[in-house]
Amino acid sequence: MEREAKVATGDLLGTVVAVQANFYQVQLDVVEAVSVTSLLCTRRTRLKKIGQQVIVGDRVVVEEPDWAGGRGAIADVLPRQSQLDRPAIANVNQILLVFAAADPPLEPYQLSHFLVKAESTHLNLVLCLNKSDLISTEQEMEIHTRIKNWGYEPNFISVNKGIDVDKLSSLLKDRITVVAGPSGVGKSSLINSLIPSVRLRVGEISGKLAKGRHTTRHVELFELPSGGLLADTPGFNQPDLDCTPEELAYYFPEARTRLEAGSCRFSNCLHRDEPECVVRGDWERYPHYLNFLEEAIARQTKLNQQADPESTVKRKTKSEGQSKYEPKLESKKYRRVSRKTQQQSLQELYQESEE
């Protein structure tokens, strides 16, 4: 049950924009002193005792501001409207998913992975394809049509050439947006372009792997000139799918459309090989769905085994990524008895016989 925070008239409110060690950078709603727009705060001991964590994006109440020293103390955390666990960030309104149209080349399967992960957050999604200057008009139209059939409207930009970056900025106004996507697609360059006062380190593309190197080390919120906050998150190559097998189909717009038009014969249909399934069919990302479904089933099986240590089967991975389930051996029954234990048993038997 979430604890209710009370806000009194005159309370000093702000948003946590960065966390490092036990210190929290809080951007204030109202500037109380000349040139002081944020305070470096600690967390009240009372919050530590009740287990109240403070994460980036939290709306907080600040007490005892030291305007000269730029310090303060977080006295309370307001209820969160939304929360992401990885990365840990609160009150996010939307996800800005950034991919490259080229260099590195656009990989549909990798893009699907990120799209499904973004859908699972139930937040608004803005899809951005950077480096559009490296492809022809015909290629851009082909990619646009393809992704449109997936159920998304891609925004083509070029940070390097300054193409349609302002148009993208209007979609971020007055919102807290998380930037996500694989490394090397230009996320840091995009943030530098949207917020000139921020200069993030830009990584190079690895020629051998055609992938980018990580440049961001921690989560931080940056204020957009037009209003709103932008969260740069640590780079990662592939997000984990943490949904259940039953939920997965609803994270594909193509599958959702089919489910809204009709229903499968079985209520627990996984849309794999069940008869009279409305989802199974000829749509481009259906093979992606099947692969992700195997991931979701494997994850659910592992969680069930952890919850039920008495489970009698285990999942074993064979060559070429194939897996199957085998019965578990009873560890105590088949474990070899040590020599020390054997000698102790023999000594006990000898002593008993003498008695």
Side-chain angles (χ1 to χ4, degrees):
M1 185 175 178
E2 189 173 281
R3 185 181 59 86
E4 290 291 336
K6 295 181 179 180
V7 180
T9 303
D11 277 347
L12 184 60
L13 301 178
T15 301
V16 178
V17 295
V19 177
Q20 192 166 9
N22 294 320
F23 294 93
Y24 309 87
Q25 193 71 38
V26 179
Q27 179 178 296
L28 303 175
D29 291 359
V30 179
V31 178
E32 296 288 343
V34 178
S35 75
V36 178
T37 59
S38 65
L39 296 174
L40 186 63
C41 299
T42 55
R43 180 176 51 157
R44 287 292 192 203
T45 304
R46 179 180 62 83
L47 297 181
K48 296 179 183 180
K49 288 182 178 179
I50 63 175
Q52 175 65 63
Q53 289 186 327
V54 181
I55 62 177
V56 171
D58 268 334
R59 298 281 297 153
V60 296
V61 178
V62 178
E63 288 183 343
E64 299 182 7
D66 175 8
W67 300 114
R71 299 297 182 100
I74 295 176
D76 219 338
V77 179
L78 305 187
R80 295 165 182 159
Q81 302 303 313
S82 64
Q83 180 179 341
L84 299 179
D85 294 326
R86 289 184 295 177
I89 183 169
N91 300 315
V92 178
N93 302 120
Q94 64 185 5
I95 294 177
L96 173 61
L97 183 56
V98 183
F99 263 70
D103 190 30
L106 183 64
E107 298 178 3
Y109 187 80
Q110 185 188 42
L111 178 56
S112 278
H113 227 296
F114 274 89
L115 287 171
V116 170
K117 179 63 178 180
E119 289 276 0
S120 69
T121 65
H122 303 288
L123 297 172
N124 185 50
L125 173 63
V126 177
L127 176 58
C128 170
L129 296 181
N130 188 25
K131 306 182 184 182
S132 63
D133 58 302
L134 301 180
I135 60 175
S136 65
T137 304
E138 291 75 15
Q139 289 174 316
E140 181 175 318
M141 290 180 62
E142 182 182 341
I143 294 173
H144 181 275
T145 301
R146 185 179 193 179
I147 296 180
K148 187 78 172 178
N149 290 334
W150 292 7
Y152 300 97
E153 183 64 42
N155 297 274
F156 289 88
I157 70 165
S158 172
V159 175
N160 187 39
K161 299 294 183 180
I163 300 173
D164 286 337
V165 176
D166 291 340
K167 179 182 176 182
L168 179 64
S169 179
S170 65
L171 300 175
L172 312 179
K173 186 178 180 181
D174 299 328
R175 302 175 75 83
I176 295 182
T177 305
V178 167
V179 181
S183 300
V185 298
K187 297 193 299 295
S188 295
S189 296
L190 176 59
I191 293 175
N192 289 339
S193 178
L194 291 170
I195 313 173
S197 60
V198 176
R199 301 306 301 173
L200 300 181
R201 186 165 62 89
V202 178
E204 299 176 352
I205 300 297
S206 169
K208 185 176 181 181
L209 299 176
K211 294 184 181 295
R213 297 186 177 93
H214 303 311
T215 57
T216 307
R217 302 300 180 192
H218 61 277
V219 181
E220 187 171 355
L221 283 172
F222 301 103
E223 186 176 10
L224 290 160
S226 59
L229 296 168
L230 199 61
D232 189 22
T233 59
F236 52 93
N237 290 323
Q238 196 71 284
D240 296 328
L241 296 180
D242 53 5
C243 62
T244 66
E246 294 77 14
E247 294 172 334
L248 181 62
Y250 293 94
Y251 301 147
F252 284 82
E254 313 97 301
R256 283 204 305 266
T257 300
R258 286 167 167 77
L259 288 169
E260 289 169 359
S263 59
C264 295
R265 176 180 176 182
F266 301 104
S267 59
N268 61 346
C269 183
L270 291 180
H271 322 297
R272 188 168 39 183
D273 50 16
E274 298 88 343
E276 299 181 33
C277 172
V278 298
V279 172
R280 189 179 70 248
D282 185 20
W283 47 287
E284 183 186 356
R285 292 203 299 162
Y286 183 61
H288 297 180
Y289 167 79
L290 293 177
N291 287 337
F292 298 163
L293 181 62
E294 290 301 317
E295 288 185 41
I297 291 174
R299 177 182 176 277
Q300 191 67 47
T301 302
K302 183 178 180 180
L303 291 176
N304 292 341
Q305 289 177 355
Q306 291 174 348
D308 181 15
E310 301 299 324
S311 175
T312 59
V313 296
K314 64 178 180 179
R315 183 172 180 265
K316 189 171 183 180
T317 303
K318 297 288 187 177
S319 59
E320 300 180 357
Q322 297 180 349
S323 60
K324 69 176 186 177
Y325 295 93
E326 296 181 350
K328 285 184 179 179
L329 295 178
E330 295 181 27
S331 57
K332 293 183 179 180
K333 182 177 179 180
Y334 293 95
R335 185 181 298 165
R336 178 181 293 179
V337 181
S338 66
R339 290 183 178 179
K340 184 177 180 180
T341 303
Q342 290 177 344
Q343 290 175 354
Q344 289 177 347
S345 299
L346 289 173
Q347 287 177 357
E348 290 174 359
L349 287 172
Y350 179 75
Q351 291 174 356
E352 288 177 0
S353 63
E354 282 189 335
E355 292 175 356

